[in-house]
Amino acid sequence: MKSRVVDAASKASVDSLIPAQPSAQVQPTEAGNALARLFVERVHGSTQEHQRFQNAAQQRLNALGSPHAGTTLHVEGAVHLAQPAFLPPDEEGYARLRHLDAGLRVIEAAFPQVSTDIEICRLTCTMLEGAWRSRALAPPHEQERTTGCACPLCRRLPTPPARTLDDYGWRQSAGRPLTVKAWPYREELDSVLTGGWTLARQMNDLEQDLGIRHSFEDDILLFHEYKRVIDTIDTARLTQLIEGRLAESFSTNSARALVCGLFAAHKRSVDEYWLQQHHAGSVSLPQTNPLSQSTYSLLQMLDCLFWHVSPDTELWQEEHLASLLLCRVIDDMTDVRADALTGEISNFWLADIPTHTKVLYAACAIASVKYGCMPEAHPPMWNTWLMPSTVVWLGLTGRHALWFDGITEGLPPAEDCPLCDLQPNACAGILTHGTTLTFAPRPTAPALSARTAELSARCRAEHPETWPLFDTELHAFEALHGPWYGNIDSTWEVLRRTYIAAVEASSAAPSPERARHVQQDAGVVGSETFYTLYDPQTGREDTALLAYMFGCAHPHFLWNATGYRPTGVEGDWLDG
């Protein structure tokens, strides 16, 4: 079906597509509530197949030792929580929303199959406009500074190191440390942003080719740089694509990519608008923002739904949505301080929510990584390699919480450690009915398999002081994963220069220089060995072990980012 042609150069015609009066536009608070209702209506509960594999995994773990009841902590479902009240957009905000709606109508006219995706985009951007204006103009509020909580997680919050603007130059999307192409014949894939994306695609689609692994030619990578999006995505360009190649060779994911491109452009334009207002002195943006747990979760879902494209059959499964949200939590744990500088509105760790809730989400992310190490986690759903591949990508591009945030001072004891005792969990209900974390003594494999034993032997020979801890974690990993059949040489090279280097730096005197060395060398070894993760025989094995060591192993370097509090560091440098 041909779409209505919209002249992007004619602002009058674009603005005429929806009424100019603000009263005709859904207000941000209403948009947030409508978005929550939409998710509740669309989400599908856990499938019988998924539950069957979960039960099989638990039975296998129980066989390694007597099961323990343990203690539990409950995490509430985000979409059922109250939304905050937001101010309406200003005139510039309404103009941006009118321009967005023009593009969305072009897509919807040609591809009604993605009408739900379009409604999510429309509501999310409306909520985003209100969140930014509320952050800029609402009366200042005091953010919670102390936990006031004696739970085992809050008691272990780390103290964050001081940071300066000079600490963030490495974070540019197009630069180091991922200097090799993730896909040899696509020059754009030198970008750090897309390296992990292609890795997740490869991991998911090794056995059954759903056409998604190679669909980047007409998929989101067409719009993979935010700054480039603003210059190239307009309604005239959309009309060209729709009336030409996409209309001839339609795929739902192609249309979703168009919607995501518009969202990315809108998100960056509203970010830049308010940062420019701040820089000009028209407003003063506080380093807190008016997001709640529910608002954060809903704002993140649009990014996640489209960046991590999945088959329609599992798009709305709650296990899938949980993996998307927790993947973003892990990314935000790392990027929090950079986002404090760049003005990123949707960052969870700057949101005005209790510290206890923040650490619960961080624990959910770790429990989900543990779950992703188990072979039973993957058959029921195509996108279940997302969490492990995300953690590995962070570690091999220098973006891991430890490499970024500094070496933990001293090794905390492993005995009675709640994070070590955190049981694997898919956290499927984190958006809907909630999820319950369980803490119980972790199982351990009685003996290492041949290849894992070789890793242990190399550590004992080259790093004897670190070997007891490393060997213990390998036994814990194989309890979750079973025998490991990965690439010994490349995996050892990565672990030697990341996890083991960080453990040894933690045992010495605290040093920001040593943390930065680990960070930079992690990027170098990532560039050298990233290709091995695409090996169909060993890539998933390597990813599972590296994800465990980067995300779950004692001393839990991923946890290092959870102690963040806003500081006086200021700046408005933008990524990319």
Side-chain angles (χ1 to χ4, degrees), residues 3 15 24 75 101 135 142 174 176 188 196 207 213 232 350 402 490 561-562 571:
S3 62
D15 289 353
V75 185
D101 200 66
R135 182 185 185 191
E142 184 68 22
R176 290 183 64 192
E188 296 95 316
E207 280 95 17
R213 175 161 41 123
T232 60
L350 296 181
L402 171 74
S490 61
T562 56

Side-chain angles (χ1 to χ4, degrees), residues 158 160-161 163 167-168 170-172 177 192 296 300 325-342 344 346-350 358 361-362 365-366 369 387 389-406 516 519 522 550-551 556-565 575:
R163 307 300 282 179
D167 294 320
Y168 300 94
W170 65 272
R171 189 176 173 267
Q172 293 190 42
V192 170
Y296 164 80
Q300 300 294 40
L325 177 59
L326 293 175
C327 164
R328 183 52 56 93
V329 167
I330 282 184
D331 195 46
D332 285 352
M333 286 171 69
T334 301
D335 281 354
V336 57
R337 290 165 185 75
D339 287 333
L341 303 175
T342 63
E344 173 67 66
S346 56
N347 191 286
F348 179 77
W349 309 98
L350 296 181
K358 296 179 186 180
Y361 265 35
I366 292 174
V369 175
M387 285 294 285
S389 62
T390 297
V391 176
V392 173
W393 169 66
L394 291 172
L396 295 183
T397 56
R399 297 166 71 96
H400 187 281
L402 171 74
W403 329 148
F404 177 69
D405 232 9
R516 182 51 51 90
Q519 176 196 38
F550 291 166
H556 306 291
F557 292 134
L558 189 64
W559 188 254
N560 214 42
T562 56
Y564 174 73
R565 299 292 183 278
D575 183 30

Side-chain angles (χ1 to χ4, degrees), residues 494-507:
V494 169
L495 291 174
R496 180 181 67 83
R497 293 162 64 176
T498 53
Y499 177 76
I500 291 174
V503 168
E504 293 186 339
S506 297
S507 302

Side-chain angles (χ1 to χ4, degrees), residues 136-263:
L137 301 180
H141 62 276
E142 184 68 22
Q143 191 192 37
E144 179 197 17
R145 297 284 177 167
T146 58
T147 66
C149 177
C151 83
L153 295 177
C154 289
R155 289 201 306 266
R156 295 181 70 89
L157 275 176
T159 301
R163 307 300 282 179
T164 67
L165 280 173
D166 294 337
D167 294 320
Y168 300 94
W170 65 272
R171 189 176 173 267
Q172 293 190 42
S173 298
R176 290 183 64 192
L178 188 60
T179 56
V180 296
K181 293 180 178 63
W183 216 290
Y185 53 88
R186 292 285 289 190
E187 182 180 355
E188 296 95 316
L189 296 182
D190 285 340
S191 170
V192 170
L193 280 176
T194 53
W197 183 91
T198 56
L199 171 61
R201 287 286 179 92
Q202 285 277 67
M203 295 289 291
N204 291 336
D205 223 13
L206 284 175
E207 280 95 17
Q208 49 178 341
D209 187 352
L210 301 178
I212 297 177
R213 175 161 41 123
H214 299 297
S215 69
F216 57 86
E217 293 289 352
D218 64 352
D219 206 82
I220 181 58
L221 288 191
L222 189 61
F223 316 112
H224 85 285
E225 291 284 7
Y226 284 164
K227 294 289 285 185
R228 190 183 309 169
V229 163
I230 289 182
D231 297 330
T232 60
I233 302 295
D234 55 35
T235 51
R237 171 72 169 155
L238 291 174
T239 302
Q240 262 188 338
L241 288 169
I242 289 169
E243 294 185 339
R245 176 168 53 85
L246 291 185
E248 295 169 2
S249 179
F250 170 76
S251 77
T252 303
N253 288 332
S254 301
R256 284 196 179 116
L258 296 174
V259 178
C260 189
L262 285 183
F263 170 72

Side-chain angles (χ1 to χ4, degrees), residues 4-20 95 97-106 234-236 239:
R4 173 184 175 182
V5 177
V6 180
D7 180 9
S10 173
K11 187 176 186 300
S13 65
V14 170
D15 289 353
S16 68
L17 288 175
I18 64 174
L97 290 171
R98 286 193 292 271
H99 186 74
L100 170 73
D101 200 66
L104 292 177
R105 290 189 180 204
V106 170
D234 55 35
T235 51
T239 302

Side-chain angles (χ1 to χ4, degrees), residues 26-36 122-124 126-127:
V26 174
Q27 295 302 298
T29 304
E30 299 167 357
N33 293 329
L35 191 58
R122 186 178 284 119
L123 294 172
T124 301
T126 302
M127 185 167 60

Side-chain angles (χ1 to χ4, degrees), residues 54 326 364 367-371 423-428 435-438:
Q54 275 192 317
L326 293 175
C364 283
S368 181
V369 175
K370 288 186 177 184
Y371 180 75
Q423 298 299 294
N425 191 332
C427 301
T435 191
T436 299
L437 298 173
T438 301

Side-chain angles (χ1 to χ4, degrees), residues 255-446:
R256 284 196 179 116
L258 296 174
V259 178
C260 189
L262 285 183
F263 170 72
H266 187 96
K267 184 173 183 293
R268 182 54 71 191
S269 64
V270 67
D271 286 356
E272 290 183 338
Y273 171 76
W274 286 106
L275 289 170
Q276 289 163 2
Q277 296 291 304
H278 175 76
H279 187 70
S282 302
V283 298
S284 180
L285 292 174
Q287 287 190 307
T288 59
N289 67 57
L291 302 185
S292 66
Q293 178 184 354
S294 181
T295 311
Y296 164 80
S297 301
L298 293 172
L299 280 176
Q300 300 294 40
M301 289 314 297
L302 188 84
D303 262 340
C304 292
L305 280 170
F306 300 139
W307 272 106
H308 303 293
V309 180
S310 63
D312 280 350
T313 53
E314 69 181 51
L315 180 65
W316 292 100
Q317 291 295 335
E318 62 180 358
E319 302 95 341
H320 177 233
L321 296 177
S323 70
L324 294 178
L325 177 59
L326 293 175
C327 164
R328 183 52 56 93
V329 167
I330 282 184
D331 195 46
D332 285 352
M333 286 171 69
T334 301
D335 281 354
V336 57
R337 290 165 185 75
D339 287 333
L341 303 175
T342 63
E344 173 67 66
I345 188 70
S346 56
N347 191 286
F348 179 77
W349 309 98
L350 296 181
D352 185 23
I353 60 174
T355 299
H356 178 68
T357 305
K358 296 179 186 180
V359 300
L360 282 179
Y361 265 35
C364 283
I366 292 174
S368 181
V369 175
K370 288 186 177 184
Y371 180 75
C373 293
M374 299 194 296
E376 294 90 349
H378 304 292
M381 197 167 65
W382 184 84
N383 219 12
T384 46
W385 279 102
L386 181 59
M387 285 294 285
S389 62
T390 297
V391 176
V392 173
W393 169 66
L394 291 172
L396 295 183
T397 56
R399 297 166 71 96
H400 187 281
L402 171 74
W403 329 148
F404 177 69
D405 232 9
I407 300 297
T408 306
E409 182 176 355
L411 291 178
E415 295 76 18
D416 300 320
C417 171
L419 295 170
C420 285
D421 291 340
L422 184 59
Q423 298 299 294
N425 191 332
C427 301
I430 195 168
L431 279 174
T432 52
H433 59 275
T435 191
T436 299
L437 298 173
T438 301
F439 302 85
R442 64 180 179 177
T444 183

